[in-house]
């Protein structure tokens, strides 16, 4: 979990006070691939990254106490 969190942090795009990640989008026909900022979805977007970081920080902050 710590390795994944470190890799996510390393790949983050920071701009001022904002942060985002870049992902790969496929067209409906899988004929086009493009690079774009991740969306807001749970499974492949910012919501999922937020849930992951929240769970990881809770687990690892409890272990340090």
């Amino acid at each position: 979990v710590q390795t994944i969190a470190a890799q996510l942090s390393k790949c983050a795009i920071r701009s001022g006070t904002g942060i985002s990640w870049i992902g790969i989008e496929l067209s409906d026909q899988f004929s086009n691939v493009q690079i774009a900022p991740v969306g807001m979805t749970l499974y492949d977007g910012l919501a999922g990254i937020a849930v992951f970081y929240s769970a990881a920080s809770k687990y690892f902050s409890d272990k340090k106490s």
Side-chain angles (χ1 to χ4, degrees):
V1 171
Q2 289 176 316
T3 302
I4 294 169
Q7 185 64 27
L8 277 172
S9 182
K10 181 180 168 184
C11 294
I13 307 295
R14 293 169 177 85
S15 174
T17 59
I19 187 168
S20 189
W21 286 264
I22 300 296
I24 297 173
E25 290 182 351
L26 299 173
S27 69
D28 292 337
Q29 311 302 327
F30 300 106
S31 59
N32 291 328
V33 176
Q34 56 187 15
I35 296 173
V38 296
M40 296 299 291
T41 62
L42 181 62
Y43 292 104
D44 62 354
L46 291 175
I49 293 170
V51 169
F52 172 80
Y53 270 124
S54 177
S57 70
K58 181 178 183 334
Y59 177 78
F60 287 106
S61 67
D62 289 345
K63 295 293 181 188
K64 291 179 184 175
S65 302

